[in-house]
Amino acid sequence: MTRQARKRHHRGYTHIKKKYRTKRKTKDLDEIDEDLKPRNAERLLHQKIDFDKPGSAQHYCLHCARYFIDGSAMKEHFRSKTHKRRLKALELEPYTQKEAEAAAGMGSYQPPKKRVMVTQQATQQDVNMDEDKRDQT
């Protein structure tokens, strides 16, 4: 029998492992659920212009916590598989401490309720502006 070569995968180098672990970190479902509340949603959908973010932070998907460069890119995203998966995952209410205590025997357990998730509408004004820009070029 021959010896197999060991794959190291940066074993022992915690600073490298941590970099790869957090490189593509997105918001968790409970954080997005907090963003879906009307007050927070209004604030996120109508952000001030920020040139450091894609599309100057004017095109934001609440369910996926992503910025897009224009309204048509956001509209394409709404038809994508990743967006539909995220909507499906957000249908269940997030896990709470009260639910954890009930499951451990400190109360009566009730399963989480299902919610109806609907994709936010891309404003027609954004889509029309993007089409006008394309026509001019």
Side-chain angles (χ1 to χ4, degrees), residues 12-70:
Y13 296 105
T14 56
H15 64 284
I16 294 175
K17 286 195 316 190
K18 190 171 188 176
K19 179 181 83 169
Y20 285 120
R21 204 176 308 136
T22 60
K23 188 175 184 180
R24 294 180 189 93
K25 180 82 171 110
T26 59
K27 284 187 174 182
D28 290 325
L29 294 177
D30 57 337
E31 294 173 313
I32 291 174
D33 187 64
E34 190 68 29
D35 289 345
L36 289 175
K37 294 181 179 174
R39 184 176 175 194
N40 294 338
E42 187 68 28
R43 182 179 49 82
L44 285 170
L45 289 176
H46 302 291
Q47 296 180 32
K48 294 180 181 175
I49 293 177
D50 184 4
F51 294 110
D52 292 335
K53 295 182 180 168
S56 302
Q58 299 303 300
H59 309 282
Y60 183 75
C61 176
L62 278 174
H63 303 100
C64 302
R66 288 182 60 189
Y67 292 96
F68 296 94
I69 57 172
D70 57 10

Side-chain angles (χ1 to χ4, degrees), residues 71-88:
S72 60
M74 188 166 70
K75 197 172 178 183
E76 283 291 319
H77 164 73
F78 289 156
R79 290 191 296 240
S80 71
K81 188 181 273 189
T82 56
H83 181 76
K84 291 176 183 176
R85 277 190 202 141
R86 181 57 63 103
L87 286 178
K88 189 77 171 169

